[in-house]
Amino acid sequence: MPELPEVETIRRDLEKRILSKSITSLLIHDQRILHGCKPASFKAKCLGQIVAGVSRRGKAVIISFQSQTHLIVQLMMTGQLIYLDDHQQNKIDKHTKLTFLFHDNSCLNYNDQRLFGRLTLVNNLEELKFLKMIGPEPFQPEFNPAAMKATFKSRKAPIKSLLMNQNFVAGIGNIYASEILFDSRINPRRLSFTLKNSEIESLHRSTVKILKEAIQYRGTSMRNYLDSSGAKGEFINRIKVYGRENEACLICRTRVVKIVQSGRSTFYCKRCQK
DNA sequence: AGGTCGACCTGGCAGC
DNA sequence: TGCTGCCAGGTCGACC
């Protein structure tokens, strides 16, 4: 799924586009996308709602309505939220699962090739288990070297796995975990508790730096990711290791290697990352 | 408790 | 061309 920078890009754009709009119609093209909620009930709860805010927590977009109801959109691997000014121009394909129509004739499609995504309606954000468990946002003061150090002390998992653990820090996925570790010159296989203070500080700096830069470039389009206008993210041009197996390290020219950790691909430079 | 693995789905691509 | 197997940005529950 889109990771933090992609979701934040979507959030910022949607905030400009759908704030204060009311939902006048809802088209459910594929009801498999609704987990644990019947189409009729989902529709009834959405109709007439007025968008009061668009926020983000980790990799989830939270669309809040004036009625205090919240729509949580977890895009997972292939979910997309595509906005269009004029729904008459709307192009629905086999991956379009839902279309929200607004009072001004604009619309918002939820597309999802692999159907992993989730749309959940709640009256209270506290109801959601994943929001209770999730760790601090990387840009919040709660995420800092001292707190990281305290967590690392007792953790035996490789640092790459911990970076991707949403309960440790929110929003980092497979692409940015590799990029952050390359930027901080830390080997992804290193066990968390073995990191020195200077390395933890470096990791913290790189996390903030890479994620901010990726937001600035509107995210990374590896395969499926598109922003809410249907455009690709430009950070793909600044990716240094992810997906670059056997290509030269941009620092030392050594070949980038690919390994598998916890079932996910990791890319790194054996020479630069100690 | 913490860590890892498989399942959930569809589609693109390489190799035969 | 068409088949097979593998891989893909995430998360959860089951298991060790």
Side-chain angles (χ1 to χ4, degrees):
Chain A
M1 144 189 191
E3 305 178 34
L4 185 150
E6 292 76 34
V7 180
E8 179 60 19
T9 300
I10 291 168
R11 185 203 71 77
R12 290 182 184 185
D13 289 351
L14 282 187
E15 188 174 50
K16 287 180 205 144
R17 291 165 171 166
I18 66 168
L19 203 62
S20 305
K21 293 189 180 181
S22 69
I23 299 172
T24 51
S25 182
L26 177 62
L27 309 173
I28 300 172
H29 310 292
D30 186 340
Q31 64 180 67
R32 287 179 298 170
I33 205 63
L34 304 174
H35 299 255
C37 187
K38 295 230 165 70
S41 159
F42 189 87
K43 209 165 180 169
K45 286 177 183 167
C46 286
L47 286 182
Q49 296 280 7
I50 298 167
V51 178
V54 184
S55 54
R56 178 190 59 73
R57 187 73 173 90
K59 303 172 193 172
V61 179
I62 302 171
I63 299 174
S64 300
F65 301 122
Q66 282 181 7
S67 67
Q68 309 291 327
T69 298
H70 309 272
L71 172 64
I72 291 86
V73 184
Q74 291 178 274
L75 301 158
M76 299 289 195
M77 300 282 254
T78 51
Q80 300 173 334
L81 282 168
I82 307 285
Y83 169 88
L84 218 68
D85 269 331
D86 179 4
H87 82 82
Q88 305 285 359
Q89 310 285 318
N90 196 15
K91 279 174 256 151
I92 289 169
D93 63 30
K94 60 181 170 180
H95 301 313
T96 309
K97 307 301 177 191
L98 276 183
T99 304
F100 297 92
L101 297 171
F102 298 105
H103 70 282
D104 64 349
N105 284 327
S106 61
C107 67
L108 183 65
N109 287 327
Y110 177 74
N111 301 339
D112 199 340
Q113 179 193 101
R114 290 171 74 182
L115 288 165
F116 285 172
R118 258 174 253 168
L119 288 90
T120 315
L121 282 166
V122 292
N123 290 320
N124 185 348
L125 291 175
E126 306 289 306
E127 289 172 35
L128 282 171
K129 204 167 114 188
F130 89 91
L131 284 180
K132 274 187 214 153
M133 302 295 293
I134 200 167
E137 288 290 322
F139 306 140
Q140 282 176 345
E142 289 79 6
F143 179 68
N144 60 65
M148 290 166 79
K149 201 177 144 189
T151 308
F152 285 18
K153 208 164 55 179
S154 59
R155 297 297 193 113
K156 294 193 180 93
I159 184 59
K160 155 78 159 23
S161 303
L162 192 55
L163 266 186
M164 288 180 64
N165 182 339
Q166 301 303 294
N167 301 334
F168 165 62
V169 58
I172 300 171
N174 210 31
I175 294 180
Y176 294 105
S178 280
E179 294 301 309
I180 288 165
L181 287 165
F182 178 75
D183 192 70
S184 54
R185 309 282 180 269
I186 295 169
N187 188 309
R189 311 178 91 124
R190 286 277 298 284
L191 304 185
S192 305
F193 71 89
T194 68
L195 265 68
K196 290 181 273 193
N197 286 352
S198 60
E199 291 173 321
I200 294 175
E201 280 158 25
S202 167
L203 188 63
H204 176 261
R205 274 196 305 276
S206 295
T207 300
V208 172
K209 176 189 145 187
I210 294 290
L211 295 177
K212 279 196 173 163
E213 213 175 293
I215 292 171
Q216 190 189 330
Y217 286 90
R218 305 184 59 79
T220 304
S221 293
M222 219 70 208
R223 292 164 176 253
N224 299 285
Y225 169 70
L226 295 177
D227 67 21
S228 64
S229 310
K232 293 184 174 185
E234 298 295 327
F235 197 74
I236 181 77
N237 302 315
R238 307 184 87 81
I239 288 286
K240 301 219 169 75
V241 282
Y242 186 87
R244 296 190 65 248
E245 186 184 15
N246 291 329
E247 290 179 42
C249 165
L250 297 175
I251 294 173
C252 75
R253 314 308 292 171
T254 301
R255 283 180 169 209
V256 170
V257 295
K258 174 180 162 178
I259 59 169
V260 175
Q261 296 180 287
S262 301
R264 316 294 306 275
S265 297
T266 302
F267 299 85
Y268 74 107
C269 172
K270 279 185 169 169
R271 191 160 165 200
C272 293
Q273 294 174 256
K274 299 295 182 191

